[in-house]
Amino acid sequence: NDWLDKASGGAINLPTNCMLTVRNALFTNNVAACGCATLDVDGAYGGAISTADGCLKYIEKTAFIDNAAIVENATSGRRCAAGGALSECGGVTLIDTCVFDGNTVEGESSVGAALDLEFDEEATVLNSTFRNSNWEAVSVYDASAVIRNCVIVGNSVGEEGYDLYLDVGKVELTFSAFGNYYQAPAAELVSSNNIAGVTAAQVYDGETLQLATDVYNAVAALGTSFTEEHANLLARYTENVTMIFDSDE
């Protein structure tokens, strides 16, 4: 999807008031790219999927890998690259059990390397993983989001290393693990039962066990010790727990 003045949705671009259901899919190496030195560039939105006002979207058990939104050679205009994987605006989105890995944004003004939520979008994100983005993974601007039981780690923006960028709007963040976030004064964050300051290596410990064995219900402690809060979280899912820790003091 390569236009001179605006690019939207490298794989799927929906106009207003549409419905979209995606299940068990893979979006990889899609690009929304635009740019011209002589034009007022509006921007590149949604390397894989971009939607407009009034759209209803349900995305389940889907992987978004190495998608990108790119603005090149622009000397004027907005020059915004938003949503390396998804850019959602003015609709309602439910994302459940998805993986966002290695998605990128490139432009003078870049936001949401994996997921960009803007202008009255209402999003619910459940049981999903965001990692290896070149910018903050999730960006919220004048929108609202409920993020529950998600892992958002190993993403970066300069030295700050933000995983979440909350500019304007409201975010409810619960039972999730993340590294770092930015919250502007105009943004409202309701946070509970989360684990902050998580590194990618801690999360990969659990993933490595899953890949090397037939044990798929594995998680990392995401901290220096096992605490009462960990036990309370695990008790919501099972009464039988096997713990494996190394010998570090």
Side-chain angles (χ1 to χ4, degrees):
N1 188 339
D2 194 353
W3 300 354
L4 287 178
D5 59 347
K6 181 177 181 180
S8 298
I12 298 174
N13 179 29
L14 292 183
T16 58
N17 302 316
C18 289
M19 296 185 66
L20 173 68
T21 299
V22 178
R23 288 192 181 96
N24 302 311
L26 170 64
F27 291 82
T28 183
N29 295 313
N30 296 287
V31 178
C34 67
C36 180
T38 61
L39 294 177
D40 287 342
V41 173
D42 185 73
Y45 303 90
I49 299 175
S50 177
T51 63
D53 294 346
C55 290
L56 303 177
K57 294 86 61 180
Y58 178 51
I59 304 173
E60 179 188 27
K61 297 179 180 177
T62 293
F64 296 87
I65 300 174
D66 295 335
N67 302 285
I70 302 172
V71 175
E72 298 177 334
N73 304 320
T75 59
S76 61
R78 188 180 180 195
R79 296 167 288 183
C80 178
L86 303 178
S87 181
E88 311 296 340
C89 175
V92 178
T93 300
L94 173 59
I95 298 170
D96 191 359
T97 318
C98 292
V99 173
F100 296 80
D101 192 349
N103 299 286
T104 60
V105 285
E106 299 178 20
E108 182 174 305
S109 175
S110 298
V111 294
L115 176 60
D116 168 51
L117 305 173
E118 297 188 9
F119 303 117
D120 299 320
E121 179 71 19
E122 298 177 6
T124 300
V125 185
L126 308 173
N127 312 312
S128 296
T129 299
F130 298 80
R131 62 190 182 192
N132 298 325
S133 305
N134 75 325
W135 216 248
E136 75 268 355
V138 180
S139 174
V140 178
Y141 179 82
D142 197 19
S144 62
V146 174
I147 301 174
R148 182 181 177 89
N149 198 34
C150 291
V151 175
I152 312 173
V153 299
N155 308 282
S156 65
V157 50
E159 296 180 355
E160 293 88 351
Y162 298 134
D163 292 301
L164 299 167
Y165 193 93
L166 315 178
D167 197 341
V168 181
K170 180 178 180 179
V171 174
E172 297 180 23
L173 181 65
T174 59
F175 297 103
S176 295
F178 57 91
N180 194 10
Y181 70 91
Y182 171 82
Q183 180 183 359
E188 179 181 356
L189 175 63
V190 179
S191 177
S192 64
N193 297 294
N194 298 301
I195 304 176
V198 177
T199 66
Q202 291 169 325
V203 174
Y204 295 160
D205 285 344
E207 293 181 344
T208 300
L209 178 61
Q210 294 176 13
L211 292 173
T213 70
D214 291 329
V215 178
Y216 293 99
N217 295 320
V219 295
L222 303 181
T224 57
S225 63
F226 187 80
T227 66
E228 181 179 351
E229 287 76 13
H230 287 103
N232 289 334
L233 285 173
L234 285 172
R236 295 174 178 267
Y237 301 95
T238 182
E239 296 180 354
N240 302 308
V241 179
T242 299
M243 292 187 287
I244 303 172
F245 289 94
D246 57 28
S247 59
D248 293 346
E249 295 183 358

